[in-house]
Amino acid sequence: MTSLYIHIPFCKKKCNYCDFVSYPGKENLIDDYVEALCRELKTSPLSCASGAIHSPLHEMERGGTNKVSDGVRTIFFGGGTPTLLEPKHFEKIFKIITPKFGIRHSAFEISIEANPGTANKTKLKELRQLGINRLSIGAQSFNDQHLKTLGRIHNSKDIFRFYDDARSVGFENINLDLIFALPDQNLEDWKKDIKTAISLNPEHLSTYNLIIEEGTPFWRMTNFETRMMNELPIPNDELELAMYEHTIDTLIENGYHHYEISNFAKPGFECKHNINYWKNGNYIGIGAGAHSHVDGKRWSNPDKIEDYLTTPSSFLPLNKGENVERSETRGGDTLFLGLRMLDGLPIEKFTGFEKEVKESIQDGLLQQENGNYKLTRQGLYLGNEVFAKFV
């Protein structure tokens, strides 16, 4: 399977924890940016006469085209804040991708990230009518003080209103993003967030522990020696672990399938697009900062909107075959991505990594089950330690 990712780098305000390719105050560039997306899609040497993706990389290396997948099956609009675009922008994009990639909207998973307060009921209805059938809402917390600390532009009432509007216009596959281990957050705060999320009955929940990334406002606010951020204490490792344990136990008890380290879904609602990433599948990224992966080769587009707009689409890495990084010389990408999945990976995938596997089993971080190696409960907490062995 091949997935298509389209990056929308605009946002109203940069959140305090965000290190994504996103830029506030540049909405005046949206029209030009959408035109650039369409040009990249049009000139991309990806054909779909049979619904299949063909890679120009193989053409250059082998003197012909090579089918690398059975076609695009998922589309994901990420950001930034994709819902800052108007329905007319998405309509223009779909006019390109529908015939080019053979998209049958009802049969595909088409996701969009959305922030409360950036789309009203009318816009949500139009997006649903265009064929977008999965909504990922960046709630992050239901606690207004924590939302303020995170730098979010919405409050808890906005989340409830947005969620109800989405349901009323026909969204039947909704994800809620939540973050834990926030400054000044205690276990009871997090339990309330989980309880509230369950009460809304979404099909999917993504729960991430806060990571303070270098260069973000949080990074500049933090004294890492004292675990303080502008006089707000950062939860210690024991509290963070308790929050994660509560998340796993409570969501499983309430019928959610824990299928990836941070992701939970009702049966049948696992995110197909992200599963393709974790299985190290092929995906094409369109837009500023978008990354692509085809058959073990990775490349990316320019990060800055202005650079992307002024780079002719025929000179983007995918079309020129330039800036392509070879990867997976030992299959490590497949292993550390696949181990994020709770089912793990077949034992034969670990050929050449016997020493690393033995150490991880002895440390109680890996276990063998049903012909797979998978993370133990302790391994879920210390996943990065395991992944580092296979990079």
Side-chain angles (χ1 to χ4, degrees), residues 196-347:
T196 302
I198 291 171
S199 72
L200 289 174
N201 199 31
E203 285 71 30
H204 193 283
L205 281 160
S206 298
T207 62
Y208 304 103
N209 61 309
L210 177 67
I211 298 176
I212 300 175
E213 302 286 1
E214 188 170 356
T216 62
F218 270 173
W219 179 272
R220 294 187 289 272
M221 297 176 191
T222 303
N223 184 324
F224 290 96
E225 291 183 3
T226 62
R227 297 189 68 90
M228 295 289 288
M229 177 187 294
N230 281 358
E231 306 306 317
L232 297 176
I234 302 171
N236 58 32
D237 293 342
E238 290 74 19
L239 177 53
E240 184 174 330
L241 175 57
M243 290 176 172
Y244 185 48
E245 287 184 319
H246 175 78
T247 304
I248 296 172
D249 294 339
T250 304
L251 291 181
I252 289 176
E253 287 171 5
N254 282 273
Y256 288 88
H257 171 212
H258 186 197
Y259 71 102
E260 190 271 344
I261 287 178
S262 301
N263 286 273
F264 304 79
K266 292 184 177 180
F269 287 94
E270 296 81 1
C271 181
K272 296 180 179 66
H273 186 90
N274 286 339
I275 287 174
N276 189 45
Y277 288 157
W278 298 319
K279 288 188 174 181
N280 209 21
N282 293 315
Y283 55 88
I284 301 299
I286 301 294
H291 289 245
S292 299
H293 169 252
V294 174
D295 290 355
K297 300 176 182 67
R298 302 184 185 277
W299 63 93
S300 61
N301 286 345
D303 281 356
K304 292 183 178 179
I305 297 175
E306 292 82 0
D307 290 345
Y308 176 74
L309 292 178
T310 56
T311 302
S313 57
S314 59
F315 286 93
L316 289 170
L318 171 61
N319 300 335
K320 295 287 288 182
E322 297 172 352
N323 302 321
V324 174
E325 299 178 3
R326 294 185 177 274
S327 63
E328 303 168 41
T329 54
R330 295 178 66 208
D333 286 1
T334 296
L335 297 184
F336 84 77
L337 287 169
L339 281 173
R340 294 191 62 90
M341 303 284 288
L342 270 288
D343 288 340
L345 290 165
I347 291 173

Side-chain angles (χ1 to χ4, degrees), residues 23 93 102 110 133 148 167 226 247 249 252 271 274 328 345 354 384 387:
Y23 305 95
I93 293 168
I110 305 177
N133 52 27
K148 184 176 179 180
R167 286 297 194 202
T226 62
T247 304
D249 294 339
I252 289 176
C271 181
N274 286 339
E328 303 168 41
L345 290 165
E354 288 79 7
N384 287 337
F387 305 151

Side-chain angles (χ1 to χ4, degrees), residues 336-363:
F336 84 77
L337 287 169
L339 281 173
R340 294 191 62 90
M341 303 284 288
L342 270 288
D343 288 340
L345 290 165
I347 291 173
E348 57 267 23
K349 294 280 187 182
F350 293 82
T351 300
F353 290 92
E354 288 79 7
K355 176 176 178 290
E356 291 84 353
V357 168
K358 183 178 180 180
E359 290 175 352
S360 297
I361 290 175
Q362 290 174 341
D363 292 339

Side-chain angles (χ1 to χ4, degrees), residues 75-136:
I75 301 173
F76 198 105
F77 292 93
T81 307
T83 41
L84 284 179
L85 271 59
E86 295 300 324
K88 66 179 182 180
H89 296 125
F90 289 101
E91 186 174 6
K92 186 174 291 190
I93 293 168
F94 276 120
K95 282 183 178 178
I96 306 298
I97 62 178
T98 297
K100 188 170 183 68
F101 298 110
I103 302 303
R104 299 185 305 279
H105 291 222
S106 61
F108 288 67
E109 178 189 271
I110 305 177
S111 303
I112 186 170
E113 292 180 342
N115 286 350
T118 61
N120 57 25
K121 187 174 181 178
T122 299
K123 182 186 283 190
L124 287 171
K125 182 177 181 180
E126 293 183 68
L127 294 177
R128 183 67 191 91
Q129 290 173 339
L130 283 170
I132 296 172
N133 52 27
R134 184 176 184 274
L135 190 67
S136 183

